[in-house]
Amino acid sequence: MSDITFQTDYDITHLTTFGIKVKTALYAEYADWKELTRICRSDEYMENEVLHIGGGSNLLFVHDFNGLILHSAIKGIVEYDRKDDQQTVFVIAGAAEKWDDLVQYCVEHNLAGMENLSGIPGEVGASPVQNVGAYGVEAGDIIHNVEVFDRTTRRVETIPGEECGFAYRDSKFKNEWRDRYYVLRVSFRLHRSEIASNTEYGALRGLEQRLGHVPTLRDVREEVIKIRDSKLPNPAVIGSAGSFFKNPIVRQAYYEKEMLIACPDIPRYRVDEVQQGSH
Ligand SMILES: Cc1cc2nc3c(=O)[nH]c(=O)nc-3n(C[C@H](O)[C@H](O)[C@H](O)COP(=O)(O)OP(=O)(O)OC[C@H]3O[C@@H](n4cnc5c(N)ncnc54)[C@H](O)[C@@H]3O)c2cc1C
């Protein structure tokens, strides 16, 4: 049984996309739930404020963190075919996998469903927390279940996607489960196809006409990355957490009577579409 190493006075600047110089009093990584259990039994854990981070792309530290920062080192991407349905594939990824590496893997293996989510920074473990979304798709649409570590019982559980309360950039992990679970792995329900199925949202609309053929997963990935690069600076060059804004939700009457008159070109999506829009 290996001992857990707690780094002290640890510089975590490189672990956030803002790149603002920041240190944490304590820092630890775990490779599996057994190591996480040992961390949770330690004095360092019990006596400190604890924050679990992923890729640090949705966090802004305004001063040093006087507590314990945890980070998953659980890696791995595996595929399982559904026996009764040749088209459906479950892809299970460790929390520490980079989100975009997972998307790239799925696109390269003709596993359709997450290609619209190309280019989003961060790690797999945070994807159910924020319910990451962009270009008409959000993680909650394709999450089959989430393997979690329950901090209160110190047991591993599997929560079906339908129970996670996914909503527009929201989930129970951000609310009532905030201090309860650490995400260990996420299972995604995808299907075998090289053809992309969701090309009707925003700037993706008309892609088939522009390309002259039915868009493949690779086409959509390339297009999404191109659009994203034209809209947002690379956080490796200019530190950021992406867009800070969520689409505002207004009554249809207000939109038609006030907003459209003041600004006839204002983009709008129905609420069911907005719930899947870019963050
Ligand atoms: C340039 C840029 C563009 C972006 N574009 C988008 C976009 O299009 N759509 C979108 O939805 N988001 C976008 N984001 C925001 C961000 O990428 C996502 O919110 C992402 O899911 C955050 O992942 P992370 O691993 O960096 O999480 P962090 O920022 O490290 O953490 C975010 C939250 O998740 C929690 N968390 C992290 N890992 C775990 C875990 N294993 N278990 C439990 N809780 C955990 C943290 O405690 C924290 O509350 C963008 C950010 C940037 C910098």
Side-chain angles (χ1 to χ4, degrees):
M1 199 166 82
S2 64
D3 279 339
I4 304 296
T5 307
F6 290 95
Q7 311 275 357
T8 53
D9 204 22
Y10 187 71
D11 191 322
I12 54 161
T13 311
H14 64 292
L15 299 178
T16 71
T17 53
F18 263 112
I20 290 172
K21 201 147 183 53
V22 62
K23 282 182 180 178
T24 176
L26 291 160
Y27 177 82
E29 291 205 343
Y30 56 90
D32 56 33
W33 67 270
K34 289 181 189 155
E35 286 191 2
L36 183 54
T37 307
R38 289 213 295 286
I39 289 175
C40 291
R41 289 195 181 124
S42 68
D43 292 345
E44 286 86 347
Y45 183 91
M46 307 247 209
E47 291 167 7
N48 283 288
E49 185 185 348
V50 181
L51 172 68
H52 196 302
I53 63 166
S57 65
N58 212 25
L59 292 171
L60 171 61
F61 290 91
V62 289
H63 49 69
D64 287 346
F65 187 73
N66 190 24
L68 167 64
I69 288 191
L70 287 182
H71 185 232
S72 168
I74 301 175
K75 293 274 210 172
I77 300 176
V78 284
E79 288 172 41
Y80 289 99
D81 282 300
R82 223 173 109 149
K83 290 197 181 68
D84 56 337
D85 171 358
Q86 296 298 307
Q87 292 308 306
T88 304
V89 185
F90 295 109
V91 175
I92 302 173
E97 287 292 341
K98 287 210 171 7
W99 174 262
D100 197 49
D101 289 352
L102 173 65
V103 179
Q104 184 176 6
Y105 173 97
C106 292
V107 166
E108 284 172 359
H109 289 78
N110 288 332
L111 300 171
M114 58 169 68
E115 57 283 357
N116 294 38
L117 301 175
S118 293
I120 300 179
E123 296 179 356
V124 167
S127 61
V129 179
Q130 161 86 348
N131 185 16
V132 283
Y135 300 99
V137 174
E138 55 187 12
D141 299 336
I142 48 171
I143 288 180
H144 175 54
N145 61 45
V146 184
E147 187 186 282
V148 293
F149 180 85
D150 186 332
R151 295 169 65 174
T152 47
T153 60
R154 294 189 188 143
R155 292 169 76 106
V156 176
E157 286 176 27
T158 301
I159 305 176
E162 310 80 73
E163 291 175 21
C164 296
F166 292 125
Y168 176 48
R169 299 307 148 267
D170 203 12
S171 73
K172 288 188 185 172
F173 295 104
K174 270 173 98 169
N175 298 293
E176 60 259 52
W177 293 345
R178 194 184 179 87
D179 295 319
R180 181 151 179 208
Y181 294 125
Y182 295 137
V183 176
L184 303 176
R185 286 185 185 77
V186 186
S187 169
F188 299 90
R189 191 190 308 101
L190 305 175
H191 61 278
R192 289 202 188 278
S193 171
E194 59 177 316
I195 300 301
S197 51
N198 200 333
T199 53
E200 284 310 305
Y201 188 88
L204 285 182
R205 198 169 289 147
L207 183 61
E208 182 169 345
Q209 287 69 32
R210 292 199 293 281
L211 291 171
H213 62 256
V214 180
T216 61
L217 306 185
R218 210 173 282 260
D219 290 329
V220 167
R221 175 168 170 78
E222 282 172 10
E223 183 72 6
V224 166
I225 289 175
K226 198 164 80 186
I227 301 167
R228 296 183 70 92
D229 286 349
S230 70
K231 280 172 129 185
L232 283 170
N234 178 350
V237 181
I238 300 175
S240 89
S243 160
F244 291 4
F245 304 103
K246 286 171 76 169
N247 293 323
I249 297 176
V250 298
R251 287 182 191 282
Q252 188 157 345
Y254 177 73
Y255 168 75
E256 283 167 1
K257 292 192 185 127
E258 303 275 339
M259 299 178 80
L260 255 189
I261 291 165
C263 186
D265 296 331
I266 194 163
R268 65 111 180 88
Y269 303 94
R270 286 168 46 85
V271 164
D272 48 350
E273 291 175 70
V274 169
Q275 284 184 335
Q276 300 183 345
S278 179
H279 92 309

